[in-house]
Amino acid sequence: MANKYKKVDIVSSSISIFEGNAPSFEALLNSIWEREFHIGGKLIEFSRLECDINNCIIGFVETTQDKDIPPIKNKETKVFSPVQINTATEGLAFANIFIYDTNRNVLIYEINRNGCYLNSVKEIIEAVWSEEHEDNPIEVHFPLILRRDEYARMLNMTSYRKIAIEIRNPSAMLQALQREEESLHKQLLKSQAESAVAGNSDYITIEQRCDPVHINRQGIQGGYIRGLVDSVNRTVRGDNNISVQKLQVQGYTIDPASEHLKGTTIDLLADKFNERFPIPEVQIQTSLQRPERKEGIISVYNRVLPEIDQIIASA
C-alpha cells in the first residue's frame, strides 16, 4: 500500500497575560480535553491519547465539517451531485495529531489543510481561558523552533556590519533578564526593555550597524554579535511570555568559488525544520487512522529530539 506524507510544524508555546503569571501550555491543554468547539463552520474536538514517553503529551484533534461541503463529480458524465449526507447529524471528518514535550516546551503539530490549524487552537484556548478570566486575557503564540544551520553560517562570517532584533513583551523580558549574568549584552537589552516599559510599548526594536567598509573596515566585533545573539536566545528560551519577532545579522563571508568577500544576510528565524511522517494512503477512508498518526508523530519526535537538545543546550 502506498503512503502519503503528512507535514508538521515544530514550534514552542509562548503565552502572555494581561496581569500576573501566565499559565503553562500544559495547563491550557488540560482545559480543552474531551470538549467540542464550533469555529469557522467546523466542529473541533480534542482528546488526549496514551503516551509512554516521559514528560510528553499526545493529543488528537478531530474536525467535523457540516457546512460548505463540496459536491461529487461523475468522471464520465461530468455531472455534479450533492453528497448524500444528513448535516444535522453527520459531517466530513478530518484529523490532526500532536505531541508536546512539557520539559522542553516543544510542540510538534501535524499540518492538515482540511483539519484544525494551529491558529484555531490558539483561538480556542484563548476563548476557554476567557470563560473564567474575562478581565485578565491571554495571548497564545507558537514561534517556530529553528535549526542550527543559519547560526553556523553566522559564526563563519568574516565581517559583521549590522544586527537587527525585535522582541515582543518588554516587561516579561525585564523579568527574564534577572536570570542573566551581568554583561554588556544584558545591559543593552535591559536598557531597551526599561525604556519600552516606561513608554508602554509592546515591542523592543534594536538595530546596530557600522559605516561602509571604506570608512569602517573592521566592522562590528564578532564576539559582540555572537554574545548578543546568544543572550537573546538564552533569555527567551523556555519563557512563555516572550517571543523574538526578528533576529538578523548582515555581513560578509568568503565565497568558496571566487574566494572573494560576499555580502549576505543571515535570518536566524528562517531556518525552520522540514519534517513529515508517512501514513497509508486509502482511497475511501473508514477511520481517521489514529494509530498510524500516533506512530508517525512519535517517529518525528524521536528523529528531531537530538538536534532540539543541541539547540536548547547552546542557547
Side-chain angles (χ1 to χ4, degrees):
M1 183 180 295
N3 286 329
K4 60 181 178 180
Y5 287 84
K6 309 297 292 184
K7 293 183 178 181
V8 300
D9 278 329
I10 301 181
V11 301
S12 59
S13 66
S14 174
I15 301 146
S16 59
I17 191 167
F18 179 72
E19 186 177 8
N21 296 322
S24 68
F25 187 62
E26 180 181 6
L28 294 174
L29 285 176
N30 288 336
S31 69
I32 63 174
W33 296 132
E34 313 306 330
R35 293 185 60 179
E36 299 180 351
F37 304 92
H38 289 272
I39 184 170
K42 297 179 178 181
L43 176 65
I44 299 174
E45 305 171 66
F46 295 85
S47 56
R48 183 169 180 170
L49 306 186
E50 183 179 348
C51 181
D52 297 328
I53 305 174
N54 289 337
N55 304 308
C56 282
I57 296 168
I58 296 179
F60 197 77
V61 189
E62 296 182 19
T63 300
T64 305
Q65 179 181 342
D66 57 10
K67 296 180 181 179
D68 196 25
I69 295 175
I72 295 173
K73 179 181 179 180
N74 188 304
K75 291 186 288 186
E76 295 181 355
T77 65
K78 311 301 182 184
V79 174
F80 292 94
S81 60
V83 175
Q84 297 303 308
I85 185 172
N86 180 0
T87 55
T89 58
E90 299 173 314
L92 303 182
F94 307 96
N96 305 75
I97 195 165
F98 65 85
I99 185 168
Y100 178 64
D101 187 319
T102 58
N103 273 10
R104 297 175 174 87
N105 188 28
V106 173
L107 174 66
I108 304 176
Y109 190 91
E110 175 194 348
I111 301 170
N112 185 345
R113 63 181 181 180
N114 295 312
C116 179
Y117 284 92
L118 267 176
N119 191 57
S120 295
V121 176
K122 159 192 165 67
E123 292 179 21
I124 289 169
I125 288 176
E126 291 175 351
V128 170
W129 173 267
S130 295
E131 292 174 357
E132 297 183 3
H133 309 85
E134 185 177 356
D135 297 328
N136 195 23
I138 61 170
E139 287 188 13
V140 179
H141 298 273
F142 297 110
L144 291 170
I145 294 177
L146 305 169
R147 312 189 80 154
R148 296 284 294 168
D149 292 353
E150 291 294 89
Y151 185 83
R153 287 181 60 209
M154 183 198 74
L155 295 180
N156 289 329
M157 278 184 163
T158 57
S159 176
Y160 299 90
R161 315 303 301 181
K162 176 181 173 181
I163 182 168
I165 304 168
E166 186 176 286
I167 301 171
R168 186 180 59 82
N169 201 340
S171 59
M173 185 76 174
L174 270 179
Q175 295 180 10
L177 283 168
Q178 295 178 5
R179 304 189 300 261
E180 281 283 291
E181 295 181 1
E182 291 298 326
S183 68
L184 180 62
H185 316 105
K186 177 181 176 177
Q187 292 174 14
L188 171 63
L189 296 174
K190 183 179 178 181
S191 65
Q192 293 292 317
E194 287 174 341
S195 297
V197 170
N200 197 31
S201 298
D202 295 318
Y203 293 83
I204 304 167
T205 300
I206 300 171
E207 181 176 300
Q208 295 190 353
R209 58 189 177 90
C210 57
D211 286 327
V213 176
H214 68 277
I215 300 175
N216 183 344
R217 188 169 184 81
Q218 182 180 2
I220 305 173
Q221 293 182 3
Y224 174 79
I225 292 287
R226 291 190 293 271
L228 185 53
V229 169
D230 290 344
S231 184
V232 170
N233 285 333
R234 280 195 308 270
T235 304
V236 304
R237 172 63 61 186
D239 194 309
N240 288 335
N241 295 307
I242 315 168
S243 65
V244 180
Q245 307 292 309
K246 183 178 184 180
L247 186 55
Q248 292 182 347
V249 176
Q250 291 182 13
Y252 291 96
T253 58
I254 296 178
D255 185 350
S258 64
E259 297 186 353
H260 293 155
L261 289 178
K262 178 182 178 181
T264 186
T265 298
I266 306 295
D267 186 348
L268 292 161
L269 302 185
D271 200 19
K272 70 174 188 176
F273 285 85
N274 184 21
E275 292 289 335
R276 56 184 188 162
F277 64 85
I279 58 174
E281 187 173 34
V282 181
Q283 189 166 13
I284 299 178
Q285 298 281 358
T286 59
S287 74
L288 292 178
Q289 299 174 288
R290 185 178 294 199
E292 293 87 350
R293 279 185 154 90
K294 180 179 178 181
E295 180 181 348
I297 203 75
I298 290 175
S299 70
V300 173
Y301 174 80
N302 289 331
R303 189 162 61 242
V304 302
L305 186 60
E307 185 172 353
I308 286 175
D309 280 340
Q310 290 178 4
I311 294 169
I312 293 173
S314 62

